[in-house]
Amino acid sequence: MNEFWEDTPSMWIFRTTLIALAVSLGSLPTYAATARCEAAPQDDLGCMYEEYEQANKLLNFKLKNLLNRVQATEFGEYSPEEKKRRRAEASNSIRTADGAWRMLLAAECESLLRISFGHGLGADREMVRCKINRTYDRIKALSKDEAYEWLQ
């Protein structure tokens, strides 16, 4: 059996916490496009995959804009070499954060799916819905987070 699901006290606490998180996250609003897909039941999964692709494109566009802003930032009274180094460091940090977020997205949606649905009927739909919602949350965070204000 996968060690993630072993019955140890710490894993029981972890699983219980994940279940509580899943229950609380279940009350989050569904984005309008996902609701639109659910209104077309003949191919709602295909519609949801398209919506996830659109959300991913929007996120990539937002990240590209952030990276462009980094390149346009002056970084104060430093030498040209130091400014170039700081721009590269900031760009690499944004790319690293994006990669880590994408790994978190996969792990979080997989965990929520396992504790709520297993891999049965409707699992694909719920996985895509989770990814859509979390991707829009990420876009919103990148758009409004004060940590990125200096780039705007």
Side-chain angles (χ1 to χ4, degrees), residues 10 13 24-25 30 32 40 42 62-63 66 78 92 101 103-104 114 127 137 144 147:
S10 61
I13 292 169
S24 68
L25 290 176
T30 301
Q42 65 278 6
K62 182 65 180 173
L63 289 166
L66 285 174
Y78 294 103
N92 288 338
W101 179 83
M103 289 190 321
L104 173 66
R114 279 182 179 227
M127 176 68 81
D137 290 343
K144 297 187 178 199

Side-chain angles (χ1 to χ4, degrees), residues 11 23 27 47 54 67 71 83 92 101 111 121 146 148:
M11 289 313 299
V23 169
S27 63
C47 181
Q54 290 300 321
L67 291 169
Q71 295 307 311
K83 288 180 183 182
N92 288 338
W101 179 83
S111 295
L121 189 61
E146 60 192 39
Y148 294 99

Side-chain angles (χ1 to χ4, degrees), residues 30-55 129 132 136:
T30 301
Y31 290 92
T34 306
R36 175 185 56 81
C37 291
E38 290 172 351
Q42 65 278 6
D43 188 24
D44 65 333
L45 186 57
C47 181
M48 291 175 79
Y49 276 120
E50 289 175 15
E51 174 59 23
Y52 176 60
E53 287 178 22
Q54 290 300 321
R129 180 179 315 187
I132 291 169
Y136 281 125

Side-chain angles (χ1 to χ4, degrees), residues 52 55 101 105-106 109-110 126-137:
Y52 176 60
W101 179 83
L105 173 71
C109 290
E110 178 69 26
E126 292 307 313
M127 176 68 81
V128 176
R129 180 179 315 187
C130 177
K131 287 182 177 184
I132 291 169
N133 289 339
R134 299 304 180 274
T135 300
Y136 281 125
D137 290 343

Side-chain angles (χ1 to χ4, degrees), residues 2 54 102:
N2 186 336
Q54 290 300 321
R102 289 176 191 275

